[in-house]
Amino acid sequence: NAGVTQTPKFQVLKTGQSMTLQCAQDMNHNSMYWYRQDPGMGLRLIYYSASEGTTDKGEVPNGYNVSRLNKREFSLRLESAAPSQTSVYFCASWDIMRNQPQHFGDGTRLSIL
Amino acid sequence: DAKTTQPTSMDCAEGRAANLPCNHSTISGNEYVYWYRQIHSQGPQYIIHGLKNNETNEMASLIITEDRKSSTLILPHATLRDTAVYYCIVRVPFGNEKLTFGTGTRLTIIP
């Protein structure tokens, strides 16, 4: 089925470790997004990529880096994980030129000890 | 993008219509109203969107007031699987790429 695929689904890290969260979409969307969601909270935008080769900061970018590897893939990297980054991370993609809804992945549940 | 205001939580009896309100009093003329929902810890799911006319699809109906300052999402026959957090978002299509989510309304369907 077409959609947004995130890997891994679960991960436990120790403070200071690094990790890359992967996201891929097969809908030929130009725009891709990374959100985080803390318990009981709404989604907050970390970074987004309006098109291949471009990335922009969202609401909470500190402590993260992103790479838009190609049109399909958009990765999120934690260089030195901190307990405050324990959260559920969602990737999304969107064809904004067609006024179609955003599609979300199932999330990566990340715990940092 | 315009700011939205939603009740924090609502209950609805199973089988009844669930009516979820959203206030967007600062909406501009070219901004659409979108509704998403998030079931448990899954990724948000698109429900419906509209500009000024009422809209209906297989999931829900969207009623937008004539002045466009508020809207109501209607789930006509709520089931237990409709228990979720519902987000109302307004934005300009084809423009700002950001999609800002608030805290939404936690809808609980009661058996």
Side-chain angles (χ1 to χ4, degrees):
Chain A
N1 291 336
V4 179
T5 303
Q6 293 184 235
T7 55
K9 295 189 184 303
F10 303 93
Q11 185 69 48
V12 178
L13 294 177
K14 295 181 180 179
T15 297
Q17 287 186 315
S18 62
M19 173 167 189
T20 299
L21 280 60
Q22 306 288 352
C23 175
Q25 53 92 8
D26 57 6
M27 295 170 283
N28 202 35
H29 288 169
N30 288 317
S31 301
M32 298 186 72
Y33 305 77
W34 277 106
Y35 295 88
R36 64 176 286 176
Q37 185 172 36
D38 300 329
M41 304 290 288
L43 282 80
R44 292 186 293 171
L45 183 64
I46 305 171
Y47 270 94
Y48 68 101
S49 170
S51 62
E52 186 178 352
T54 68
T55 61
D56 285 286
K57 295 179 180 179
E59 184 183 356
V60 288
N62 292 343
Y64 304 95
N65 288 303
V66 290
S67 295
R68 183 71 182 269
L69 306 171
N70 48 55
K71 192 171 186 179
R72 290 186 65 249
E73 298 172 292
F74 188 38
S75 62
L76 178 72
R77 183 163 178 83
L78 287 71
E79 290 291 352
S80 179
S84 61
Q85 294 177 304
T86 293
S87 190
V88 181
Y89 291 84
F90 290 102
C91 178
S93 71
W94 197 0
D95 186 344
I96 63 172
M97 296 308 294
R98 296 185 178 182
N99 194 18
Q100 293 298 309
Q102 257 190 359
H103 293 258
F104 285 82
D106 290 333
T108 294
R109 284 147 185 81
L110 182 62
S111 294
I112 300 163
L113 306 177
Chain B
D1 292 342
K3 181 179 173 63
T4 62
T5 304
Q6 298 177 253
T8 302
S9 63
M10 294 180 62
D11 294 337
C12 178
E14 187 179 16
R16 305 295 294 268
N19 296 278
L20 291 89
C22 180
N23 182 286
H24 32 79
S25 58
T26 59
I27 192 170
S28 60
N30 58 349
E31 288 184 308
Y32 280 67
V33 180
Y34 291 78
W35 283 84
Y36 286 76
R37 73 180 181 183
Q38 189 174 22
I39 297 173
H40 193 42
S41 299
Q42 299 176 18
Q45 175 190 25
Y46 165 80
I47 302 172
I48 199 167
H49 73 281
L51 181 62
K52 56 183 178 181
N53 297 320
N54 298 338
E55 301 288 345
T56 296
N57 62 21
E58 65 278 5
M59 291 181 67
S61 295
L62 174 61
I63 308 297
I64 303 174
T65 59
E66 190 170 347
D67 63 7
R68 302 206 330 116
K69 292 185 177 181
S70 65
S71 61
T72 301
L73 178 74
I74 301 172
L75 307 177
H77 304 287
T79 70
L80 298 178
R81 289 178 293 179
D82 293 321
T83 293
V85 177
Y86 288 77
Y87 296 98
C88 168
I89 301 160
V90 294
R91 71 171 300 275
V92 178
F94 318 121
N96 187 348
E97 296 85 357
K98 297 181 183 181
L99 192 67
T100 303
F101 286 78
T103 53
T105 297
R106 180 172 298 279
L107 175 67
T108 302
I109 306 302
I110 301 171

